[in-house]
Amino acid sequence: MNANTQPYVRKGENLSPVLLYEDIRKKYGQFVALDGVSVQVNKGEVMCLIGPSGSGKSTLLRCTNALEEVTSGQIKFDGSPLPKTETEMRKVRRRMGMVFQSFELFPHKTALENITTGPVTVLGHSAEEAKVNAMTLLDKVGLSDKAQSYPANLSGGQQQRVAIARALAMSPEVMLFDEPTSALDPETIGEVLSVMKRLADEGMTMVVVTHEMTFARQVADWVVVFDKGKIIEQGPPEQIFDHPTQVRTRDFLGHIGWHA
């Protein structure tokens, strides 16, 4: 770093982290999926998790909202350890939106109904209030004309955008994305990434497991590289993609065709 170069300032670094992972380990029998993972997510930050398939990225995301239970270590959300009881954990999950690879929409409900169900049944919103908010969110994801469409009549990209709107309807403090474009056709990937970029621009705290390196390079504030259940490198995107310090990171990026 020369005298004229300003040190990188990580977004939200002077605030308490929204998510804090402390020495997380997760085993399935003898298989170690996560092996001592420690990292933090700051408020308003987009963190992208990258690395080979099977390296632990999605497992960490599923541990974040207790879909998987950690073997050891501790995850703190907003300064407090994740609760142990399912009743208390459900309250925490309301504050985390999660978007999966598969869209998991209710096939017998319209796009509008998919979005309003949670706010009405879980948050106690009135049907009219939930409908107004759902239409606002459908407009946000570019699907206001598809409110009465059923999932079977929507493309994969449209279904995933409805899934994002459904998660946003619960007014989450953080959004978790588990490879949200991996099941999509190439033509529709951009639709979903554009919505995610807009959320990032609006200051939503996001943790994104992705194989879309261009998205991670352009949108992430912090990039974490996984390999065999460990974090092998982390830093701002310009470091990870343009000047990686680890040979394994360079090998991974080269293998998927990324060139600085």
Side-chain angles (χ1 to χ4, degrees):
M1 184 181 294
N2 62 46
N4 296 320
T5 302
Q6 294 297 316
Y8 180 84
V9 178
R10 187 173 171 185
K11 184 181 284 188
E13 68 179 347
N14 295 322
L15 305 172
S16 297
V18 176
L19 285 165
L20 181 63
Y21 302 88
E22 299 178 318
D23 196 24
I24 301 302
R25 298 175 190 275
K26 174 64 179 175
K27 294 178 68 177
Y28 298 97
Q30 295 303 306
F31 175 70
V32 180
L34 294 170
D35 190 7
V37 170
S38 296
V39 67
Q40 69 182 55
V41 184
N42 297 329
K43 184 174 177 60
E45 185 174 62
V46 178
M47 175 183 285
C48 284
L49 312 183
I50 68 170
S53 296
S55 57
K57 309 178 301 294
S58 293
T59 301
L60 186 70
L61 212 63
R62 293 175 66 83
C63 288
T64 303
N65 64 359
L67 292 176
E68 301 276 0
E69 186 176 350
V70 301
T71 303
S72 64
Q74 185 170 248
I75 300 174
K76 291 182 179 177
F77 176 50
D78 200 20
S80 299
L82 293 184
K84 299 296 186 185
T85 68
E86 180 62 23
T87 301
E88 290 302 310
M89 192 59 219
R90 276 199 295 267
K91 296 177 183 177
V92 172
R93 287 196 191 107
R94 295 176 194 172
R95 300 165 62 194
M96 298 182 188
M98 186 155 184
V99 178
F100 299 89
Q101 299 176 33
S102 54
F103 321 123
E104 303 194 2
L105 299 175
F106 296 117
H108 60 289
K109 292 181 181 289
T110 65
L112 183 68
E113 291 167 340
N114 265 281
I115 298 169
T116 58
T117 297
V120 171
T121 59
V122 178
L123 301 181
H125 293 178
S126 70
E128 185 58 32
E129 178 186 8
K131 180 179 178 181
V132 169
N133 187 47
M135 287 304 301
T136 299
L137 290 170
L138 280 170
D139 184 60
K140 186 187 192 79
V141 300
L143 291 174
S144 55
D145 60 330
K146 300 294 185 181
Q148 300 306 320
S149 296
Y150 289 90
N153 301 121
L154 299 173
S155 71
Q158 290 170 336
Q159 290 184 62
Q160 192 63 294
R161 284 185 280 159
V162 172
I164 292 172
R166 178 181 60 182
L168 292 173
M170 301 298 286
S171 300
E173 296 164 42
V174 59
M175 286 284 288
L176 310 175
F177 292 89
D178 187 8
E179 297 188 34
T181 60
S182 65
L184 301 181
D185 295 328
E187 314 88 72
T188 59
I189 287 173
E191 302 171 1
V192 174
L193 294 180
S194 293
V195 170
M196 293 170 63
K197 185 178 186 306
R198 197 172 313 132
L199 290 178
D201 291 341
E202 293 171 358
M204 173 63 75
T205 306
M206 297 162 57
V207 185
V208 185
V209 174
T210 185
H211 291 291
E212 299 292 334
M213 296 300 117
T214 300
F215 173 83
R217 176 64 179 87
Q218 294 176 348
V219 179
D221 298 293
W222 199 253
V223 179
V224 181
V225 188
F226 278 74
D227 188 46
K228 297 179 181 177
K230 295 177 179 286
I231 292 175
I232 58 171
E233 186 167 1
Q234 59 177 302
E238 53 266 34
Q239 172 201 315
I240 300 299
F241 291 103
D242 302 342
H243 308 286
T245 62
Q246 300 298 311
V247 172
R248 184 67 186 95
T249 303
R250 291 195 291 271
D251 287 347
F252 165 70
L253 292 173
H255 181 72
I256 62 174
W258 178 271
H259 299 288

